[in-house]
Amino acid sequence: MDQVSSLPGIGRKTALRLVLELLKRKPEDIERFANSLTEMRNNTRFCKTCNNLSDDEECSICKSHYRDGTTICVVADIRDVMAIEGTGQYQGKYHVLGGIISPMDGIGPSDLFIESLIERVGQGEIKELILALSATMEGETTCFYLFRKLGGMDVKISSIARGVAVGGELEYTDEITLGRSILLRTPYEVSLKR
């Protein structure tokens, strides 16, 4: 119960219910469950290109020849990739920063995968960056930092339309709103003038 309740969002009562449920299962089901957790931990890594989760050196999105390699959607974490992919509206590739700049939490630009993003843009194949970060103070700070770092490069920088509520997290936004925000994105310079 202690191990299950150590997971985020799982309190002691929920952990107890889950453990009691597991105890009702057949031993081979429990073994299969435990093995799948071990395999997940041992065989999952970060994509060398975009930092998404992968079971190979490069994730399936980066490997895909059907995706638009000239457009990169910059997100804070892997849950944001999943949320955007759930909309079915975006056909480009991604760059996962691994968080957002948050001085209060001790997270600065050097703690994120910003340098690898700059390197990707510097290769000259990327035509547009979509900044799809949460509409929080930290998300906006990170967008502004990226805009300043990449502003001199030959790349269009846009941000998702703010159909996503200010102060909202992408993973909790419904798919229709998030999909529309991707389709109706605006140049980042426009959002600076608001």
Side-chain angles (χ1 to χ4, degrees), residues 49 63 87:
T49 304
K63 282 196 260 187
T87 70

Side-chain angles (χ1 to χ4, degrees), residues 59-103:
C59 72
S60 60
I61 294 172
C62 286
K63 282 196 260 187
S64 175
H65 298 292
Y66 300 105
R67 306 293 292 233
D68 176 8
T70 66
T71 305
I72 302 293
C73 185
V74 179
V75 296
D77 68 29
I78 291 141
R79 291 173 294 196
D80 300 333
V81 171
M82 292 177 192
I84 293 170
E85 284 297 292
T87 70
Q89 300 292 316
Y90 179 67
Q91 296 305 312
K93 298 190 178 182
Y94 293 92
H95 189 87
V96 180
L97 293 175
I100 52 179
I101 298 170
S102 178

Side-chain angles (χ1 to χ4, degrees), residues 93-124:
K93 298 190 178 182
Y94 293 92
H95 189 87
V96 180
L97 293 175
I100 52 179
I101 298 170
S102 178
M104 296 293 286
D105 296 323
I107 301 170
S110 62
D111 298 313
L112 306 175
F113 295 110
I114 293 175
E115 286 304 314
S116 57
L117 174 62
I118 293 169
E119 288 173 22
R120 285 179 79 183
V121 172
Q123 292 172 357

